[in-house]
């Protein structure tokens, strides 16, 4: 085989091997194998001694060209390897500062809060404003201004937690009626969601802490029809078409006339079921026309203005909505229960 062919084979072998090389060590090994002291090309150079003096210059030229060529090939591969290394390093070290951080596990809204937010949405949509008041309340607002004087029998019905003679845990959200009327002028349109307290023994339907949402409208010419229309709109918006209200006569010292209001049972749509104990109705709120005495005590001229008020029991509604069988579940904070309301 002539020298040209041998070199050609060497070149072919090199380009095949170079393809496969992917680290410096193998590359160096290949260099040594061809260009090293005992390398294949070096051997060719050594063999030149056996050639005739006429052949030597051409052979020397061939071998030198080959050495240059092979060196260039090795260098090209080395450059490519470096570039690859850099690329992977960059890839590995790359920090995408715009990538959103992993979110901590999300909690879930409490069923009472879900119901409360829906109602707030509904009433603010009708022009009501949300106000909040203290849970530790003066007897004056909780009772006196609500037309429940000391020694009034209605106080018994409220099972009050007294802090002292004048301070109580509010037994209803109604004191916010008085606080609002004393600080604002009609037209007044407010709702007040919040916690209320009564010293009841806890059982499936009672808890010493529960939730109400008070509503109050005071303006000229407000009538019972406005109350009915507002509550019907609320029933339909929050519970869907076909859900309406039923008013039953009742008594509250701060409203006259007073009514207890039932909603069509949303579990059976009024047909009668276990949830509504076969009646087709669920009692969820007390309401009425603001007693003129209350208006007057709160500095509003009852000959010019009238109003309506309502107090919705939020826990009852949440229980009905989610078919929760025991009120205590709402307050035990069991994650297995709460996690169901995602
Ligand atoms: N405050 C009453 C209760 O707790 C509910 C109510 C509010 C009734 C407003 C009439 C008007 O039972």
């Amino acid at each position: 085989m002539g020298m040209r062919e041998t070199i050609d084979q060497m070149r072919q072998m090199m380009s095949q091997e170079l393809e496969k090389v992917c680290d410096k060590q193998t590359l160096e090994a290949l260099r040594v194998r061809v260009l090293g002291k005992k390398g294949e090309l070096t051997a060719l150079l050594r063999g030149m001694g056996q050639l005739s003096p006429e052949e030597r210059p051409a052979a020397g030229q061939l071998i030198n060209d080959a050495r240059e060529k092979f060196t260039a090939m090795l260098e090209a591969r080395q450059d490519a390897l470096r570039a690859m290394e850099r690329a992977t390093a960059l890839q590995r070290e790359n920090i995408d500062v715009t990538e959103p951080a992993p979110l901590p596990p999300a909690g879930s809204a409490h069923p009472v809060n879900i119901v409360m937010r829906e109602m707030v949405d509904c009433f603010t949509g009708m022009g009501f404003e949300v106000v909040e008041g203290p849970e530790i309340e003066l007897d004056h607002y909780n009772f006196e201004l609500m037309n429940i004087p000391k020694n009034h029998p209605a106080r018994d019905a409220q099972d009050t937690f007294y802090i002292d003679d004048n301070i109580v845990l509010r037994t209803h959200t109604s004191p916010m009626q008085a606080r609002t009327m004393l600080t604002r002028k009609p037209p007044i349109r407010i709702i007040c969601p919040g916690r209320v307290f009564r010293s009841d023994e806890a059982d499936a339907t009672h808890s010493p802490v529960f939730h109400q949402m008070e509503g109050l409208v005071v303006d000229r010419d407000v009538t019972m029809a406005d109350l009915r229309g507002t509550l019907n709109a609320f029933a339909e918006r929050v519970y869907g078409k076909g859900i309406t209200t039923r008013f039953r006569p009742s008594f509250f010292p701060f409203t006259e006339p007073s009514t207890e209001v039932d909603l069509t049972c949303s579990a059976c749509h009024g047909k009668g079921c276990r949830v509504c104990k076969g009646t087709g109705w669920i009692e969820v709120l007390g309401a009425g026309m603001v007693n003129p005495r209350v208006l007057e005590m709160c500095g509003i001229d009852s000959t010019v203005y009238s109003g309506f008020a309502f107090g919705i029991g939020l826990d009852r509604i949440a229980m009905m909505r989610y078919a929760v069988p025991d009120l205590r579940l709402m307050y035990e904070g069991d994650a297995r229960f709460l996690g169901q309301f995602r």
Side-chain angles (χ1 to χ4, degrees):
M1 188 159 46
M3 181 172 285
R4 206 178 280 281
E5 284 75 36
T6 313
I7 289 179
D8 220 45
Q9 265 182 12
M10 237 180 253
R11 195 181 49 73
Q12 261 175 34
M13 179 279 289
M14 268 196 65
S15 59
Q16 267 169 24
E17 289 300 305
L18 279 173
E19 285 273 307
K20 291 184 244 159
V21 165
C22 50
D23 60 79
K24 278 191 228 149
Q25 289 86 327
T26 337
L27 187 70
E28 177 60 11
L30 187 61
R31 192 191 65 76
V32 172
R33 175 175 159 191
V34 180
L35 302 178
K37 273 195 191 121
K38 295 177 184 155
E40 294 173 17
L41 193 68
T42 319
L44 268 188
L45 199 59
R46 294 227 171 88
M48 268 181 53
Q50 281 140 34
L51 297 177
S52 62
E54 299 80 61
E55 286 171 318
R56 274 182 209 162
Q61 185 69 46
L62 263 181
I63 292 173
N64 273 339
D65 286 354
R67 173 174 288 276
E68 250 166 54
K69 171 86 185 146
F70 292 173
T71 308
M73 282 167 80
L74 286 161
E75 266 165 14
R77 188 63 193 162
Q78 183 159 27
D79 288 349
L81 279 182
R82 277 209 196 103
M84 265 159 58
E85 234 168 57
R86 250 179 80 78
T88 42
L90 278 177
Q91 187 89 41
R92 196 175 48 238
E93 289 157 22
N94 182 35
I95 297 171
D96 180 358
V97 293
T98 67
E99 187 178 297
L103 292 173
S108 50
H110 191 282
V112 170
N113 270 325
I114 298 174
V115 165
M116 185 190 291
R117 284 178 201 161
E118 273 177 17
M119 289 189 194
V120 165
D121 235 34
C122 168
F123 282 108
T124 50
M126 291 195 266
F128 285 74
E129 193 185 318
V130 179
V131 298
E132 283 184 295
E135 292 173 353
I136 300 169
E137 183 57 287
L138 291 172
D139 181 290
H140 183 64
Y141 295 108
N142 195 80
F143 291 126
E144 299 281 339
L145 291 180
M146 287 294 102
N147 199 28
I148 312 174
K150 288 225 154 61
N151 305 318
H152 190 287
R155 287 203 177 201
D156 280 349
Q158 302 246 359
D159 300 310
T160 313
F161 283 115
Y162 279 91
I163 289 176
D164 67 25
D165 280 353
N166 298 314
I167 303 173
V168 300
L169 296 185
R170 66 178 174 192
T171 57
H172 50 181
T173 42
S174 299
M176 276 314 287
Q177 290 187 34
R179 283 181 177 272
T180 306
M181 287 189 276
L182 285 166
T183 51
R184 298 186 185 203
K185 289 201 164 61
I188 290 169
R189 239 179 263 114
I190 56 109
I191 49 171
C192 171
R195 264 198 296 216
V196 301
F197 308 84
R198 291 185 199 177
S199 62
D200 278 328
E201 203 70 58
D203 63 26
T205 54
H206 293 85
S207 160
V209 48
F210 56 102
H211 298 81
Q212 289 188 336
M213 191 163 80
E214 196 76 10
L216 173 70
V217 169
V218 181
D219 202 348
R220 290 169 197 268
D221 306 320
V222 174
T223 70
M224 195 90 172
D226 296 313
L227 170 63
R228 189 99 209 266
T230 304
L231 292 179
N232 279 342
F234 151 73
E236 281 223 328
R237 268 273 319 264
V238 178
Y239 299 99
K241 277 254 171 297
I243 306 292
T244 184
T245 58
R246 177 174 78 169
F247 281 39
R248 284 179 290 111
S250 185
F251 172 81
F252 297 104
F254 35 92
T255 48
E256 182 59 37
S258 300
T259 169
E260 251 158 283
V261 182
D262 303 334
L263 286 187
T264 316
C265 174
S266 61
C268 63
H269 277 258
K271 285 198 270 305
C273 68
R274 229 163 37 100
V275 178
C276 58
K277 299 195 177 80
T279 63
W281 297 97
I282 306 261
E283 185 199 323
V284 288
L285 60 100
M289 301 308 292
V290 180
N291 191 321
R293 265 187 64 85
V294 171
L295 290 176
E296 294 294 338
M297 281 190 285
C298 295
I300 288 176
D301 186 345
S302 63
T303 62
V304 180
Y305 294 103
S306 56
F308 66 73
F310 56 82
I312 309 177
L314 298 181
D315 308 78
R316 173 82 57 92
I317 288 183
M319 283 176 78
M320 172 168 105
R321 154 84 61 89
Y322 296 110
V324 176
D326 194 316
L327 179 57
R328 285 168 292 197
L329 284 165
M330 300 282 207
Y331 297 102
E332 283 166 352
D334 186 328
R336 291 168 301 180
F337 171 73
L338 296 172
Q340 296 176 59
F341 302 94
R342 290 241 159 76

